[in-house]
Amino acid sequence: RSFLSRLAAGAGAFGAAFAGSAAASAQPSPAQAGHFVPARHTEDDWLDETTAKHRFFYDTMTAEAGGQALFFARNFFVANASGYNLTDADLAQVICLRHASASFGFSDAMWAKYGNALSARAGNFLDPRTKQVPTGNVYLATGYGEALRNVNVTIEQMARRGVRFAVCGLSTRATAQLIAQKSGATVEVVLKELSANLVPNARIVPAGIVTVSRAQERGYTFA
């Protein structure tokens, strides 16, 4: 009787384990269970064009924040090298230039030609040395020291190290509209000119705020 009791108990335990295993294998996938899984769009695939071990995204909306992001991007490289023995190739960084920082996504030539409009769109930004509208992109220049938040860390320096720049398309169009109003050119012609004269390693994205979201969905941490 004792043997039969143990046999029955063992069979019951086996049956419960089997049932549990079967139930587990029948569990729906996260998507089937109603868990959110973000859609992927080919327009955002550039965010995955990296084999880096760590991904970081800076969302900037003011002239000052655009400069500060350059400074922090440099620090991100430095600290990961000294503290973790990582190389620049191990780190993917994207700086988003949107709203008032989008003006700094354009070349010196565009600032020389359209400085008034770019300055206005950047919150009436003035060159801290001349106190006038800049005639070049100050974040492409050195020599400003602590007068600018980037503290001499330039866009070109960071681009050479692999930092990419996402320039807001909506802000770019707003800038083109302002230029067109003053120059008599068409918005589309100015928009095409601006888009062809970006800073190094930059691209126009549909909207900066959208790219903020898409980057987080693709594994970038956010600042």
Side-chain angles (χ1 to χ4, degrees), residues 29-188:
S29 67
Q32 292 171 330
H35 297 294
F36 174 71
V37 177
R40 292 297 180 99
H41 306 277
T42 57
E43 293 87 347
D44 305 314
D45 284 348
W46 65 274
L47 290 164
D48 283 331
E49 292 173 358
T50 177
T51 58
K53 298 174 181 177
H54 301 283
R55 299 179 174 192
F56 204 80
F57 188 96
Y58 304 83
D59 178 27
T60 73
M61 293 177 282
T62 67
E64 293 76 15
Q68 198 163 41
L70 293 167
F71 181 76
F72 287 147
R74 193 277 308 273
N75 285 357
F76 195 69
F77 283 130
V78 170
N80 274 287
S82 63
Y84 299 87
N85 294 317
L86 296 178
T87 68
D88 290 359
D90 293 321
L91 309 169
Q93 297 193 75
V94 176
I95 295 177
C96 182
L97 301 171
R98 69 182 180 97
H99 198 57
S101 69
S103 293
F104 300 96
F106 305 104
S107 68
D108 284 334
M110 293 298 93
W111 273 90
K113 187 174 182 179
Y114 300 125
N116 287 331
L118 291 168
S119 171
R121 288 288 303 164
N124 295 316
F125 179 85
L126 299 179
D127 186 315
R129 290 190 298 202
T130 66
K131 309 303 180 185
Q132 302 294 320
V133 170
T135 56
N137 186 333
V138 296
Y139 292 137
L140 287 170
T142 58
Y144 282 90
E146 294 187 1
L148 288 173
R149 299 299 291 274
N150 62 320
V151 195
N152 286 334
V153 180
T154 69
I155 287 173
E156 194 167 30
Q157 289 169 3
M158 291 299 96
R160 285 200 301 266
R161 298 183 71 169
V163 175
R164 293 178 290 176
F165 298 86
V167 182
C168 177
L170 292 182
S171 293
T172 301
R173 178 169 286 276
T175 300
Q177 289 171 338
L178 183 59
I179 292 170
Q181 290 170 4
K182 295 180 180 297
S183 68
T186 68
V187 172
E188 295 306 319

